[in-house]
Amino acid sequence: MTFAALRWLRAHFDLSSDMADPAEIMTDVEDGLVFKGTNLWVLIFAILVASVGLNVNSTAVIIGAMLISPLMGPIVGIGFGAATVEVDLIRRGLKNLLIAASLSLLVSAAYFKLTPLTDAGSELLARTSPTTWDVAIALFGGAAGAIGFTRRERGNVVPGVAIATALMPPLCTAGYGLATLHWSYLFGALYLFFINCVFISVSTFLVARILPLPQHQFDSGRRGRWVNRGIWAVALLTAGPSVYLAVGIVRSTVFMHNAQQFVDEQLSLPGTYVVTRRVDASPRTINVLLAGKHLTPNQLRTARTRLAQYRLADASLTVRQGLAGLDSTDARALRTSLLEDVRSRNEQTLAGYDTRLAQLQQLLVRPDSAAPANPALPAANTLLREVQVEHPAVRQLGLGQLVRPAAGPLPADTTLVVSLSTSAPLPAAEQQRLRQWLGLRAGTRQPVQLLVNTPEPPAPKSALVKSLV
C-alpha cells in the first residue's frame, strides 16, 4: 500500500517528465542575462510605462509594464547558476541585475523629476512598505517561475510570475522617492525590491537543485568541492538575512493589525471619530487624532489598560483630541485618504455606468421584458418566401415590434409590425387575409400591424409631355 502511494505521488508530482532539454534551458537563461540592444530598450520603455502607471494610479498600465519587463532574467540566472555551480553565470547575473536596477532607478527618477504630476497615489504608496505577503509571493512565485521556465511548453507561467512578484514597480517607486527626496519611499521600495530578488533567487536555486540539471565539472575535485561549499555558503548567507527580514515583517504586520483593531474597538466610541492614525511598528508607537466628543481621562486610562489584551503592552499610545492637534503629517495623511476615497468613488461610478450601459444595450436588443422577441416567427427572408407563395406581388418584407410601455392602469403592450413592398396594389380583402395569416403564423395574441408600400403608377406620357411644355 505504501509503495503504491509513493508510485502515485511520483507519477503525479514528477517534474522531469515534461522538462525541456538542459542545454536549451541554459541557453534561455543566458539569453535573459544580456542587457544590450533589444533587452536594454525594452527595459527602458518598461520603466517609463510603469512610471506613468504609478503616476496616474493606473493598475492596468502597471500590469502591462510588468509583463514586458526583462528584469526576471538576471534573477533567474543567479538562481540557476548557483544550482548548476556555474560561477560565471552567477557573476554575470549579479552584474546585469545591478546595471538594470541602477538604470531603472535613474530613468524613473528622471521621469518623476520632469512630470507635472507629483502626488503619490495609492499604487505608488503600496510599494513603499513590504508586508509578509510580499515575502510569500516572491518565494512561491519564484518557485512557480523556475518550474515554468524549465518546461518544454511554458504557457503563461512566466508572465504570471512577472506580474505577481512585481519587480518593476518598486524600482520606479524608488525613483519617485529619489526625485522628490522622499527617503522613506526610496528605501522602502528598494527594500521590497531586495526581498523580491532574494526570495526569487533562493526559490529558483532550490527548484533547480531538485531538477536533473547537469552541474559544472571542475578539473580538480578539491576545487569543485570548495566552489560548491562557497555557493552553499553564499546561498545561506543570502537566505539568512532574508529570513530575518521576513520574521521582522511578520512581527510588523501583526503589530499593525493589532494596533488597527485596538483603535477601532477602544477609541472609535459613539460620537468620537478617528481622523488620522499613525502606527509605527519599529518604535512600536500608536499616534491617533480624534475629533468629535472628547474622551474623558477615565476612558483614556481604561483604553491604555486594555493594550495588553491586544498584545500591545509595550506600545506607546498618544491620543490627541480636537482638530487643533492637526500637524503636517496628519494633513498629508488626510490628503492621501481623500485621494484614495475619490479614486474609489470614481471606480464605483464607472462600474455603475458600465452596468447601466449593458442594461441599455440589452434594452436595445429586447425593448421590453414583457415583450420578448417572438421565437415562433422565422427570419424575415424566410417569411417573405412563405408570403410570396400566396401573394406573389410582395417583393420585400420587414419585421419589427412596436412597444408601448405601461402607463398608469394600462399594461405594457407590443404590436408586431410587418412592412411590405409590393409590385402591384394589394386589395383590402387580400391584406385582411394576409394579416390574419401572419397572426396565426406568429402563434401569439399580439396584434399585427400591416404596412403596405405600393409604388405609384407611372404618369401617362401625354401628361408628362404637357408638364414639360
Side-chain angles (χ1 to χ4, degrees), residues 241-265:
S242 302
V243 173
Y244 174 78
L245 294 176
V247 172
I249 291 174
V250 170
R251 291 176 178 173
S252 175
T253 305
V254 171
F255 176 82
M256 298 283 287
H257 175 267
N258 292 339
Q260 298 283 0
Q261 186 178 5
F262 169 79
V263 172
D264 291 336
E265 295 179 359

Side-chain angles (χ1 to χ4, degrees), residues 250-314:
V250 170
R251 291 176 178 173
S252 175
T253 305
V254 171
F255 176 82
M256 298 283 287
H257 175 267
N258 292 339
Q260 298 283 0
Q261 186 178 5
F262 169 79
V263 172
D264 291 336
E265 295 179 359
Q266 299 299 327
L267 299 180
S268 298
L269 302 179
T272 304
Y273 308 97
V274 178
V275 180
T276 61
R277 63 185 79 188
R278 301 203 297 266
V279 180
D280 196 343
S282 179
R284 296 182 70 82
T285 59
I286 305 172
N287 194 318
V288 181
L289 175 64
L290 303 178
K293 184 180 178 181
H294 281 215
L295 299 183
T296 64
N298 289 334
Q299 289 176 317
L300 291 176
R301 280 194 296 269
T302 303
R304 292 180 189 278
T305 57
R306 292 177 180 173
L307 283 170
Q309 299 178 9
Y310 297 86
R311 291 183 289 178
L312 301 171
D314 58 341

Side-chain angles (χ1 to χ4, degrees), residues 16 47 133 179 205 212 284 348 354 371:
S16 60
I47 296 165
W133 314 119
F205 167 76
R284 296 182 70 82
Q348 292 177 1
D354 292 339

Side-chain angles (χ1 to χ4, degrees), residues 391-394 421-431 452-458:
H391 310 278
V394 177
S421 294
T422 61
S423 58
L426 287 180
E430 190 171 349
Q431 292 186 25
V452 181
N453 182 20
T454 304
E456 297 182 359

Side-chain angles (χ1 to χ4, degrees), residues 50 78 227 246 302 373 386 458:
I78 294 170
V227 171
T302 303
E386 295 180 6

Side-chain angles (χ1 to χ4, degrees), residues 224-237:
R225 286 192 298 272
W226 275 107
V227 171
N228 268 297
R229 291 171 183 172
I231 289 175
W232 276 104
V234 172
L236 292 176
L237 288 175

